[in-house]
Amino acid sequence: MALLTPDDLKDINKQLQEADSIVWKVTGLDIKGVCKALYGTSPNSEKVGIVPVTSGNGIIGNFSASLHAITQYFGFDSFVTNMSDVSGYYEAVRSGADIILMADDHTFLAHNLKNGKIANNQPSTGIIYAEIASRNQKTDSKDVLVVGLGKVGFPGAVHLVHKGFRVYGYDTDRTLLKRAVSSLGIIPLDIESPKKFSTIFEATPCANTIPETLISKNCVLSTPGIPCAISEELRLKYDVQLVMEPLGIGTASMLYSVL
Ligand code: NAD
Ligand code: 2YH
């Protein structure tokens, strides 16, 4: 399980602003607009309580502060509790939180206490990055490549299949690839005779997973994966439109999905 580091979250506001302008360029909508289109919801003065959690590997420097900045960026009224864990949860509820945000090493959740809806970061992240990819304005092609079919990638692939895309998939884990082929009908990518894509959704914890043979000029690469799926050299050579941000886009997806 890959954990975020304080370094990943440096200047989160700047990272979000940059991501927002690329999402706009790719889709014609900002991140809020994509969330609204995806879930049909909008914030209505919900108060978000962010609870630091010490279990497992413990508190990640910048994590709660970044969630605070992210929730404010998307227009939510939010606060970080002084206490952590169970005491922090109690504090959040007593202080009037409508939605709780909290994460341990395995699960990052948003729970709306008013309507009972709950979201998990991994599928929420996969779905919104896939949605952004699906809105690539620069192509009419219905072909999308999904690289990485794990806890983030698989729900993203499901979303693309449901939206009517012809989904090509690749995962180094043959069992996961077979599962996606048999349950979703996706087309396994033939590495021996690669094809160029104008839209790629990547969700792996590895660097340089997208080789030159798969990229077309100006292609959209929508990827929550950390580290980056493409080398800087290839990004520049092919003018790749890279949508990549470490926490905010996925958190926005979680929040809008529980409204
Ligand atoms: P996971 O381990 O469940 O899935 C990753 C998948 O990638 C695995 O199935 C693995 O076999 C596959 N893979 C590894 N190397 C590959 C390669 N070279 N080519 C093809 N497939 C390869 O992990 P996950 O929970 O799905 O997370 C994926 C990534 O997304 C991680 O880096 C995680 O930190 C990141 N993440 C980012 C955000 C965000 O908001 N940016 C949110 C959640 C997760
Ligand atoms: O980053 C994580 C895990 N990878 C789970 C999220 C799934 N993408 N957890 C964050 C842990 C935060 C810590 N407990 C804190 O500071 O509260």
Side-chain angles (χ1 to χ4, degrees):
M1 164 73 58
L3 285 174
L4 284 166
T5 67
D7 258 8
D8 294 329
L9 300 171
K10 258 193 198 146
D11 293 325
I12 195 72
N13 262 309
K14 187 164 167 252
Q15 294 197 57
L16 259 178
Q17 276 162 22
E18 286 170 3
D20 228 351
S21 74
I22 306 240
V23 169
W24 177 270
K25 212 168 134 193
V26 167
T27 69
L29 295 170
D30 60 7
I31 299 166
K32 275 187 192 176
V34 174
C35 287
K36 195 174 169 196
L38 180 54
Y39 297 111
T41 56
S42 293
N44 184 19
S45 312
E46 286 82 3
K47 195 166 171 180
V48 179
I50 298 153
V51 182
V53 173
T54 64
S55 71
N57 285 292
I59 300 286
I60 295 175
N62 288 346
F63 186 75
S64 292
S66 297
L67 290 182
H68 191 227
I70 289 162
T71 45
Q72 306 265 313
Y73 183 90
F74 289 109
F76 290 86
D77 176 13
S78 63
F79 65 96
V80 179
T81 56
N82 295 313
M83 305 290 280
S84 63
D85 308 300
V86 177
S87 302
Y89 182 92
Y90 183 67
E91 181 188 334
V93 176
R94 294 297 299 227
S95 305
D98 300 306
I99 297 174
I100 302 289
L101 276 183
M102 61 200 293
D104 65 12
D105 294 350
H106 302 283
T107 304
F108 170 23
L109 65 81
H111 190 189
N112 187 328
L113 303 176
K114 294 287 170 338
N115 62 17
K117 290 186 187 174
I118 193 161
N120 179 307
N121 175 256
Q122 287 155 330
S124 302
T125 299
I127 288 166
I128 194 164
Y129 277 85
E131 176 71 16
I132 292 165
S134 78
R135 288 176 174 270
N136 179 0
Q137 297 184 114
K138 293 266 167 64
T139 180
D140 292 330
S141 168
K142 282 289 192 186
D143 292 353
V144 182
L145 172 64
V146 178
V147 177
L149 292 158
K151 292 181 281 303
V152 174
F154 187 79
V158 172
H159 185 66
L160 290 164
V161 168
H162 286 167
K163 284 197 80 170
F165 283 83
R166 189 162 39 243
V167 178
Y168 291 75
Y170 179 65
D171 196 300
T172 43
D173 182 330
R174 304 290 300 171
T175 312
L176 288 185
L177 181 57
K178 270 191 188 154
R179 173 189 71 164
V181 170
S182 61
S183 66
L184 299 179
I186 68 166
I187 304 157
L189 182 76
D190 180 1
I191 297 285
E192 299 308 313
S193 51
K195 169 179 155 56
K196 298 251 178 211
F197 290 88
S198 50
T199 309
I200 302 175
F201 161 56
E202 194 265 9
T204 85
C206 300
N208 304 322
T209 54
I210 310 295
E212 186 162 8
T213 43
L214 300 174
I215 311 169
S216 53
K217 190 88 183 158
N218 260 315
C219 79
V220 166
L221 172 55
S222 182
T223 174
I226 303 168
C228 186
I230 192 173
S231 67
E232 189 58 4
E233 185 197 340
L234 285 186
R235 185 181 74 77
L236 293 172
K237 182 172 173 190
Y238 286 88
D239 252 324
V240 174
Q241 301 188 58
L242 181 63
V243 179
M244 186 184 100
E245 186 280 336
L247 189 62
I249 296 178
T251 303
S253 177
M254 294 165 74
L255 288 169
Y256 274 73
S257 78
V258 300
L259 293 176

